[in-house]
Amino acid sequence: GYKSVYHVEDSFVARISHGRKTVHIKSCATAEEAALAFARNLGPEASAVAAAEEEALRPITSEEAMRLAEEEGLTLVRSSTAASGFKGVKSHRVCEGQINVFQSVYRGIALGRFATAEEGALVYA
C-alpha cells in the first residue's frame, strides 16, 4: 500500500491529516495515481522525507536481520527452548489463525514487537 491512500468503494482516495482535520486530496482509479496526488500535495522535499520515514518503519526480513547481525559483528543467540528459536524472543499469536508477532524482552523490559524472530533477536543482541 501507499501512505495516506485508502481504498473506498471503487476508487482510491488520497487524504492528508493536519492535526485533527483530515483533508481529501483526490479520488483516483488506481492506488498509484492517488499516491502520486499525495506526493504532489506534499512537494518534492516533504514527500522524500515521508518516503524515508515509511521505509525506516518497514519490517526487515529474516535474511536482512541475519545479514545485519553479521555486518555488525553480533550473534543471534539460538534457543532450543524458546518457541521463536532465539533467546529473549517470545512468539505471540495476534489472532487465532493469524500471523505471529515476535517480542524481544531483556530482563523483563519489552524491547519491541517484530515481524520476524530474527529481527527480534537482532534487537536483543
Side-chain angles (χ1 to χ4, degrees), residues 6-27:
Y6 305 90
H7 187 245
V8 179
E9 295 178 14
D10 60 346
S11 66
F12 293 88
V13 176
R15 297 180 186 150
I16 192 164
S17 295
H18 299 287
R20 292 183 176 211
K21 185 177 181 182
T22 300
V23 178
H24 174 90
I25 298 170
K26 186 175 182 181
S27 294

Side-chain angles (χ1 to χ4, degrees), residues 90-103 113-115:
K90 297 180 179 182
S91 176
H92 296 280
R93 186 167 303 280
V94 177
C95 296
E96 189 62 35
Q98 297 295 319
I99 61 167
N100 278 338
V101 173
F102 299 93
Q103 182 178 29
R113 291 188 176 196
F114 308 96

Side-chain angles (χ1 to χ4, degrees), residues 28 35 37 40 46 75 80 84-85 95 100-101 105:
C28 305
R40 285 178 174 156
T75 302
S80 60
S84 69
C95 296
N100 278 338
V101 173
V105 178

